[in-house]
Amino acid sequence: MRRQSVILGLLLGPVTLFLGVFFLLPLLIIALFSVLTPGLYGGVEWAFYHWNYGRVFGWADGITEIYEPVYLSILFRSLGFAAMTVGICLLLCYPVAFWVSRLPQRWRLVFLFLITLPFFSSLIVRLYAWLLILKPSGLLNGVLMATGLVEAPLEILYTPAAVVLGMVYVMIPFMFLPLYGAIDNLDRAQVEASLDLGATRVQTFVKVMLPQTLPGIMGGAVIVFIPSVGNFIVPDVLGGAKGLMIGNLVEQQFLSARNWPFGAALSMIIMSVVLVVLLTAVTRARKRSDTR
Amino acid sequence: MTALLEIRGARREFVTPEGGRLAALDGVDLDVGANEFVTLLGPSGCGKTTLLRAVSGFETLDGGTIRLDGADIAALPPFRRPVNTVFQSYALFGHMTVARNVGYALEVQGVPRATYEAEVAAALEKVGLSGLGGRKPSQLSGGQRQRVALARAIIAKPRLLLLDEPLSALDRNLRQQMQIELKALQHRLGIAFVFVTHDQEEALTMSDRIVVMRAGRIEQIGTPRDIYRQPKNRFVAEFIGETNLFPVLVERIEGATALARTDAGVVLAIPAEGRRAGERVTAILRPTDLALAGEGIRGTVTRAVYLGADLHLFVQPAAGGPEISVTTRDVASLPATGETVHLAHDPARVHLLAEA
């Protein structure tokens, strides 16, 4: 018994230490910084300062700044973009995952490999490729104009649409894999039973397939939603001013504005909001699957 | 009487992974009457499940017709056929309660709430599961799941219930109990059952008629007794129950019986009717048709298996040839292994196949 606990300690020790030093400690530092006074030239001064949160939620200090809901609107925009990313990824991936799960084994493996292919090159490079595709003189507009579908180049780049498009592109593998896992595990006999009992194909999808693949849907949604809310690289490259997201704001506070406490406060806000959204979504999904 | 289900010339081919063609159904004709319990029996790969799935709508035929009450249903999707299935794996909806599983067919039809509740309660009652409606399928035993699958399939009052090896996952005792219950339920409901199995004992116990299939064709259709006592060919004879097969040459006719001899020299008395000397036929004797006696086929006991009420003997004929299997009542003096015995039989109990 004692020997077992020693072995367990040896096995878990390094992981605990690693997570403690490189995950928990930084988190605590961020939490602490978020209520400290910004230093004049960056860094922090060790005095309590609640205006970091006040600037966002409605009590600006009134001297250097008058309250405006600009940060809140950026936060909500980010949540909206992330939700749209989740929705579009889901709509794109569900039928594809379904189709792939019906392929012969050999082709399924090929397809799963293709899904992971983008990870082999740098995200920044791939986003710049999108820049080249979307810009007014780029590939997309070239094709659209050559085929006569549009007269003037579409202004897609540096719009919210470009941001969502870019995020969908980045996040699709993360939605696809859990979804594919769930759909691949779908009990086909239950689908047949539903059809056999007189349910139409649509009823079968809603009443049997959707609830059974719900864990995959929720898993994919969570994995896509979290990094999407705080994403700053995609809006940086494709977003322009109108596509600014909360992640960019945090990045600016830490790097160019050198206001670490405000950046830390924004980070804490993102984290709490994401946590609340996810907990509600997951508990509601679980409740729904329990009742008719 | 017109049949409830009428299958004519059903054909279905599959392409094997090697690129060959395999006829899962090779011209099958079958009628099932209303209220009839018909069993499709055969080894795996004989096409019985394909035939069942063609009726439920999950398999399309390459040729032939399927009529239900005179109407061609071959083109209808599964959910438009007045036919329900009990699946081999039960295929219960794991995310729904037992009650909702049972009521599913009514739920998708949009049956009013009050009727729905009453019907679900009645269906649960019929299969002896009252009070378990609130559970999840995962909280039930194998036998209970089986009953849920049954209640779910009969709630919409189908004209025809299809059962795809529904008892194969149960242990022996439960299986035998369910066999009796299924037959009783079928009688009570007045629905025709088409039951698929590879277990000949199951088929004999429950069926009004048995359809023996092999390699996509029907070998024989008949009552359990017909199939057991008068198999049409070697395959049916060997597939249903234990059988002693004697390829014999008819030697001479003596009134109502004829004497026939195997190549090894075992002599049998067989019914003479329609026989002529010099003819080659196959004689079939079930183990219960042979008895220990003072005279008859002489042989040595190679193995004796005690079964309680019965004693099962394997006897090597002194003349040679394959061992003969005999079932006799438990008698006072049990023959031991190595002992010499004589086997007698009633010539009238011998069934003959024209093939040698």
PDB file of all heavy atoms in Angstrom, chain B residues 76-93:
ATOM      1  N   LEU B  76     -41.144   1.009 -51.255  1.00  0.00           N
ATOM      2  CA  LEU B  76     -41.370   1.873 -50.095  1.00  0.00           C
ATOM      3  C   LEU B  76     -40.133   1.938 -49.209  1.00  0.00           C
ATOM      4  O   LEU B  76     -39.470   0.935 -48.991  1.00  0.00           O
ATOM      5  CB  LEU B  76     -42.553   1.352 -49.267  1.00  0.00           C
ATOM      6  CG  LEU B  76     -43.937   1.385 -49.900  1.00  0.00           C
ATOM      7  CD1 LEU B  76     -44.970   0.822 -48.922  1.00  0.00           C
ATOM      8  CD2 LEU B  76     -44.314   2.800 -50.299  1.00  0.00           C
ATOM      9  N   PRO B  77     -39.837   3.138 -48.653  1.00  0.00           N
ATOM     10  CA  PRO B  77     -38.755   3.211 -47.673  1.00  0.00           C
ATOM     11  C   PRO B  77     -39.187   2.524 -46.374  1.00  0.00           C
ATOM     12  O   PRO B  77     -40.389   2.354 -46.146  1.00  0.00           O
ATOM     13  CB  PRO B  77     -38.571   4.714 -47.460  1.00  0.00           C
ATOM     14  CG  PRO B  77     -39.875   5.324 -47.857  1.00  0.00           C
ATOM     15  CD  PRO B  77     -40.450   4.449 -48.914  1.00  0.00           C
ATOM     16  N   PRO B  78     -38.235   2.133 -45.534  1.00  0.00           N
ATOM     17  CA  PRO B  78     -38.559   1.357 -44.325  1.00  0.00           C
ATOM     18  C   PRO B  78     -39.660   2.001 -43.482  1.00  0.00           C
ATOM     19  O   PRO B  78     -40.516   1.303 -42.952  1.00  0.00           O
ATOM     20  CB  PRO B  78     -37.247   1.338 -43.556  1.00  0.00           C
ATOM     21  CG  PRO B  78     -36.196   1.545 -44.571  1.00  0.00           C
ATOM     22  CD  PRO B  78     -36.793   2.370 -45.654  1.00  0.00           C
ATOM     23  N   PHE B  79     -39.630   3.357 -43.371  1.00  0.00           N
ATOM     24  CA  PHE B  79     -40.560   3.992 -42.443  1.00  0.00           C
ATOM     25  C   PHE B  79     -41.987   4.061 -42.981  1.00  0.00           C
ATOM     26  O   PHE B  79     -42.884   4.500 -42.285  1.00  0.00           O
ATOM     27  CB  PHE B  79     -40.060   5.387 -42.025  1.00  0.00           C
ATOM     28  CG  PHE B  79     -39.707   6.302 -43.156  1.00  0.00           C
ATOM     29  CD1 PHE B  79     -40.656   7.120 -43.729  1.00  0.00           C
ATOM     30  CD2 PHE B  79     -38.400   6.348 -43.638  1.00  0.00           C
ATOM     31  CE1 PHE B  79     -40.315   7.984 -44.756  1.00  0.00           C
ATOM     32  CE2 PHE B  79     -38.059   7.192 -44.677  1.00  0.00           C
ATOM     33  CZ  PHE B  79     -39.025   8.011 -45.247  1.00  0.00           C
ATOM     34  N   ARG B  80     -42.209   3.639 -44.243  1.00  0.00           N
ATOM     35  CA  ARG B  80     -43.571   3.612 -44.766  1.00  0.00           C
ATOM     36  C   ARG B  80     -44.138   2.198 -44.799  1.00  0.00           C
ATOM     37  O   ARG B  80     -45.226   1.981 -45.315  1.00  0.00           O
ATOM     38  CB  ARG B  80     -43.604   4.190 -46.181  1.00  0.00           C
ATOM     39  CG  ARG B  80     -43.221   5.640 -46.232  1.00  0.00           C
ATOM     40  CD  ARG B  80     -44.031   6.399 -47.251  1.00  0.00           C
ATOM     41  NE  ARG B  80     -43.508   7.742 -47.430  1.00  0.00           N
ATOM     42  CZ  ARG B  80     -43.651   8.703 -46.518  1.00  0.00           C
ATOM     43  NH1 ARG B  80     -44.303   8.467 -45.397  1.00  0.00           N
ATOM     44  NH2 ARG B  80     -43.129   9.902 -46.728  1.00  0.00           N
ATOM     45  N   ARG B  81     -43.384   1.222 -44.302  1.00  0.00           N
ATOM     46  CA  ARG B  81     -43.872  -0.157 -44.349  1.00  0.00           C
ATOM     47  C   ARG B  81     -44.532  -0.529 -43.016  1.00  0.00           C
ATOM     48  O   ARG B  81     -43.951  -0.285 -41.955  1.00  0.00           O
ATOM     49  CB  ARG B  81     -42.711  -1.120 -44.627  1.00  0.00           C
ATOM     50  CG  ARG B  81     -42.044  -0.821 -45.936  1.00  0.00           C
ATOM     51  CD  ARG B  81     -41.018  -1.871 -46.281  1.00  0.00           C
ATOM     52  NE  ARG B  81     -40.324  -1.497 -47.515  1.00  0.00           N
ATOM     53  CZ  ARG B  81     -39.631  -2.342 -48.260  1.00  0.00           C
ATOM     54  NH1 ARG B  81     -39.520  -3.607 -47.887  1.00  0.00           N
ATOM     55  NH2 ARG B  81     -39.033  -1.930 -49.367  1.00  0.00           N
ATOM     56  N   PRO B  82     -45.717  -1.131 -43.070  1.00  0.00           N
ATOM     57  CA  PRO B  82     -46.410  -1.508 -41.832  1.00  0.00           C
ATOM     58  C   PRO B  82     -45.813  -2.773 -41.234  1.00  0.00           C
ATOM     59  O   PRO B  82     -46.517  -3.741 -40.952  1.00  0.00           O
ATOM     60  CB  PRO B  82     -47.856  -1.718 -42.283  1.00  0.00           C
ATOM     61  CG  PRO B  82     -47.746  -2.122 -43.709  1.00  0.00           C
ATOM     62  CD  PRO B  82     -46.511  -1.475 -44.269  1.00  0.00           C
ATOM     63  N   VAL B  83     -44.515  -2.739 -41.075  1.00  0.00           N
ATOM     64  CA  VAL B  83     -43.746  -3.899 -40.640  1.00  0.00           C
ATOM     65  C   VAL B  83     -42.758  -3.397 -39.603  1.00  0.00           C
ATOM     66  O   VAL B  83     -42.159  -2.349 -39.790  1.00  0.00           O
ATOM     67  CB  VAL B  83     -42.965  -4.474 -41.854  1.00  0.00           C
ATOM     68  CG1 VAL B  83     -41.918  -5.447 -41.399  1.00  0.00           C
ATOM     69  CG2 VAL B  83     -43.889  -5.095 -42.863  1.00  0.00           C
ATOM     70  N   ASN B  84     -42.610  -4.084 -38.487  1.00  0.00           N
ATOM     71  CA  ASN B  84     -41.622  -3.662 -37.493  1.00  0.00           C
ATOM     72  C   ASN B  84     -40.652  -4.801 -37.203  1.00  0.00           C
ATOM     73  O   ASN B  84     -40.958  -5.964 -37.462  1.00  0.00           O
ATOM     74  CB  ASN B  84     -42.292  -3.189 -36.206  1.00  0.00           C
ATOM     75  CG  ASN B  84     -42.952  -1.813 -36.387  1.00  0.00           C
ATOM     76  OD1 ASN B  84     -44.050  -1.591 -35.932  1.00  0.00           O
ATOM     77  ND2 ASN B  84     -42.286  -0.923 -37.095  1.00  0.00           N
ATOM     78  N   THR B  85     -39.491  -4.425 -36.684  1.00  0.00           N
ATOM     79  CA  THR B  85     -38.410  -5.388 -36.517  1.00  0.00           C
ATOM     80  C   THR B  85     -37.907  -5.410 -35.076  1.00  0.00           C
ATOM     81  O   THR B  85     -37.804  -4.361 -34.446  1.00  0.00           O
ATOM     82  CB  THR B  85     -37.231  -5.025 -37.442  1.00  0.00           C
ATOM     83  OG1 THR B  85     -37.721  -4.845 -38.761  1.00  0.00           O
ATOM     84  CG2 THR B  85     -36.170  -6.109 -37.430  1.00  0.00           C
ATOM     85  N   VAL B  86     -37.611  -6.610 -34.586  1.00  0.00           N
ATOM     86  CA  VAL B  86     -36.837  -6.736 -33.348  1.00  0.00           C
ATOM     87  C   VAL B  86     -35.419  -7.093 -33.782  1.00  0.00           C
ATOM     88  O   VAL B  86     -35.209  -8.132 -34.387  1.00  0.00           O
ATOM     89  CB  VAL B  86     -37.407  -7.828 -32.430  1.00  0.00           C
ATOM     90  CG1 VAL B  86     -36.532  -7.995 -31.193  1.00  0.00           C
ATOM     91  CG2 VAL B  86     -38.834  -7.501 -32.033  1.00  0.00           C
ATOM     92  N   PHE B  87     -34.480  -6.199 -33.494  1.00  0.00           N
ATOM     93  CA  PHE B  87     -33.126  -6.373 -34.012  1.00  0.00           C
ATOM     94  C   PHE B  87     -32.316  -7.307 -33.125  1.00  0.00           C
ATOM     95  O   PHE B  87     -32.573  -7.432 -31.931  1.00  0.00           O
ATOM     96  CB  PHE B  87     -32.426  -5.022 -34.111  1.00  0.00           C
ATOM     97  CG  PHE B  87     -33.008  -4.137 -35.177  1.00  0.00           C
ATOM     98  CD1 PHE B  87     -34.102  -3.338 -34.909  1.00  0.00           C
ATOM     99  CD2 PHE B  87     -32.467  -4.113 -36.452  1.00  0.00           C
ATOM    100  CE1 PHE B  87     -34.645  -2.531 -35.895  1.00  0.00           C
ATOM    101  CE2 PHE B  87     -32.996  -3.315 -37.437  1.00  0.00           C
ATOM    102  CZ  PHE B  87     -34.093  -2.519 -37.159  1.00  0.00           C
ATOM    103  N   GLN B  88     -31.324  -7.898 -33.745  1.00  0.00           N
ATOM    104  CA  GLN B  88     -30.468  -8.853 -33.037  1.00  0.00           C
ATOM    105  C   GLN B  88     -29.804  -8.216 -31.822  1.00  0.00           C
ATOM    106  O   GLN B  88     -29.756  -8.797 -30.757  1.00  0.00           O
ATOM    107  CB  GLN B  88     -29.414  -9.393 -33.999  1.00  0.00           C
ATOM    108  CG  GLN B  88     -28.531 -10.447 -33.378  1.00  0.00           C
ATOM    109  CD  GLN B  88     -27.652 -11.114 -34.410  1.00  0.00           C
ATOM    110  OE1 GLN B  88     -27.503 -10.621 -35.524  1.00  0.00           O
ATOM    111  NE2 GLN B  88     -27.078 -12.223 -34.057  1.00  0.00           N
ATOM    112  N   SER B  89     -29.313  -6.987 -32.010  1.00  0.00           N
ATOM    113  CA  SER B  89     -28.632  -6.294 -30.910  1.00  0.00           C
ATOM    114  C   SER B  89     -29.627  -5.471 -30.098  1.00  0.00           C
ATOM    115  O   SER B  89     -29.227  -4.694 -29.257  1.00  0.00           O
ATOM    116  CB  SER B  89     -27.572  -5.380 -31.495  1.00  0.00           C
ATOM    117  OG  SER B  89     -28.177  -4.449 -32.364  1.00  0.00           O
ATOM    118  N   TYR B  90     -30.912  -5.620 -30.396  1.00  0.00           N
ATOM    119  CA  TYR B  90     -32.037  -4.867 -29.810  1.00  0.00           C
ATOM    120  C   TYR B  90     -32.090  -3.428 -30.297  1.00  0.00           C
ATOM    121  O   TYR B  90     -33.161  -2.887 -30.473  1.00  0.00           O
ATOM    122  CB  TYR B  90     -32.037  -4.873 -28.274  1.00  0.00           C
ATOM    123  CG  TYR B  90     -31.814  -6.223 -27.661  1.00  0.00           C
ATOM    124  CD1 TYR B  90     -31.167  -6.381 -26.449  1.00  0.00           C
ATOM    125  CD2 TYR B  90     -32.244  -7.378 -28.318  1.00  0.00           C
ATOM    126  CE1 TYR B  90     -30.954  -7.636 -25.899  1.00  0.00           C
ATOM    127  CE2 TYR B  90     -32.034  -8.630 -27.782  1.00  0.00           C
ATOM    128  CZ  TYR B  90     -31.384  -8.753 -26.576  1.00  0.00           C
ATOM    129  OH  TYR B  90     -31.162  -9.979 -26.054  1.00  0.00           O
ATOM    130  N   ALA B  91     -30.906  -2.783 -30.501  1.00  0.00           N
ATOM    131  CA  ALA B  91     -30.855  -1.413 -31.010  1.00  0.00           C
ATOM    132  C   ALA B  91     -31.760  -0.475 -30.233  1.00  0.00           C
ATOM    133  O   ALA B  91     -32.463   0.349 -30.798  1.00  0.00           O
ATOM    134  CB  ALA B  91     -31.211  -1.387 -32.504  1.00  0.00           C
ATOM    135  N   LEU B  92     -31.748  -0.596 -28.904  1.00  0.00           N
ATOM    136  CA  LEU B  92     -32.528   0.342 -28.087  1.00  0.00           C
ATOM    137  C   LEU B  92     -31.847   1.705 -28.121  1.00  0.00           C
ATOM    138  O   LEU B  92     -30.630   1.791 -28.221  1.00  0.00           O
ATOM    139  CB  LEU B  92     -32.620  -0.162 -26.647  1.00  0.00           C
ATOM    140  CG  LEU B  92     -33.316  -1.506 -26.471  1.00  0.00           C
ATOM    141  CD1 LEU B  92     -33.327  -1.899 -25.003  1.00  0.00           C
ATOM    142  CD2 LEU B  92     -34.730  -1.472 -27.017  1.00  0.00           C
ATOM    143  N   PHE B  93     -32.661   2.764 -28.012  1.00  0.00           N
ATOM    144  CA  PHE B  93     -32.100   4.110 -28.003  1.00  0.00           C
ATOM    145  C   PHE B  93     -31.533   4.383 -26.613  1.00  0.00           C
ATOM    146  O   PHE B  93     -32.271   4.544 -25.652  1.00  0.00           O
ATOM    147  CB  PHE B  93     -33.164   5.135 -28.372  1.00  0.00           C
ATOM    148  CG  PHE B  93     -33.835   4.833 -29.682  1.00  0.00           C
ATOM    149  CD1 PHE B  93     -35.207   4.720 -29.758  1.00  0.00           C
ATOM    150  CD2 PHE B  93     -33.094   4.638 -30.837  1.00  0.00           C
ATOM    151  CE1 PHE B  93     -35.836   4.438 -30.958  1.00  0.00           C
ATOM    152  CE2 PHE B  93     -33.710   4.346 -32.039  1.00  0.00           C
ATOM    153  CZ  PHE B  93     -35.082   4.242 -32.103  1.00  0.00           C
TER     154      PHE B  93
END
